[in-house]
Amino acid sequence: MSGRGDAASSARADAAAICTQIAAVFSASADPTARSVLVSELAAAAARGGRVFVHGVGREGLMMRALCMRLAHLGLPAHCVGDVTALPASPGDLLLASAGPGAFSTVDAICGVARGAGSRVVLLTARPEGDFPRRQADVVAHLPAQTMADNDEEAAAATTESSRAKLPMGSLYEGAMFVLFEMVVLELALVLGQSPAQMRARHTNLE
């Protein structure tokens, strides 16, 4: 029982450390926050009847797909770029893309296509000062979290036994994305007048 208790205590400590790291990302957020930027842009897209497209690569892409699902539950016409059912982007539409480290060649290309089609582009990134955000995004949403572009060796050197659950590579940014999107969905539901029951009614029954 002692071993099981020690394991449970260790798991609680690691979970608390990870949650603390993610919470600190939002404590460091500049004004306007990424939350307010995303809620404002998504609400505006809904008001003008535009479609919403989301795009990201790797684990960032998985978080974007999770957001897309909730936007659909909110009644928005939301699509993941690359899905076979994604419609063409057009004026009035919104592309929400993520490039945590500041730029990805594929994200750059997709944003360029969206802008060329007349769609509005919002970029979520931890590095808003780069050339890519200024060149391709109409609006930048800053999420100040560690990404793959940051120096893991320095982070590892600073790691102590009390902080051994420090998230590696881009995990902090990706975890913060998930929390950010949950906060955005909660606020957007109020803005759009969508109840939990209405959202649940839009969930697929083909499971």
Side-chain angles (χ1 to χ4, degrees), residues 56-140:
V57 298
R59 285 162 53 105
E60 291 183 30
L62 296 177
M63 297 301 101
M64 299 303 290
R65 295 184 71 85
L67 172 62
C68 188
M69 183 178 183
R70 285 291 184 256
L71 295 180
H73 291 158
L74 285 169
L76 298 179
H79 305 274
C80 295
V81 171
D83 281 359
V84 295
T85 55
L87 300 173
S90 60
D93 292 341
L94 174 69
L95 171 66
L96 175 56
S98 175
F104 292 110
S105 59
T106 49
V107 177
D108 192 338
I110 292 296
C111 289
V113 172
R115 285 176 65 87
S119 297
R120 188 167 174 82
V121 175
V122 176
L123 181 73
L124 180 67
T125 181
R127 295 192 169 192
E129 69 284 350
D131 172 67
F132 169 58
R134 289 194 300 267
R135 176 167 44 84
Q136 290 288 39
D138 294 296
V139 179
V140 175

Side-chain angles (χ1 to χ4, degrees), residues 155-181:
T159 300
T160 65
E161 181 61 27
S162 63
S163 61
R164 62 192 176 84
K166 187 172 182 66
L167 293 169
M169 302 165 68
S171 291
L172 183 56
Y173 179 82
E174 296 143 8
M177 286 176 74
F178 178 78
V179 174
L180 168 64
F181 294 160

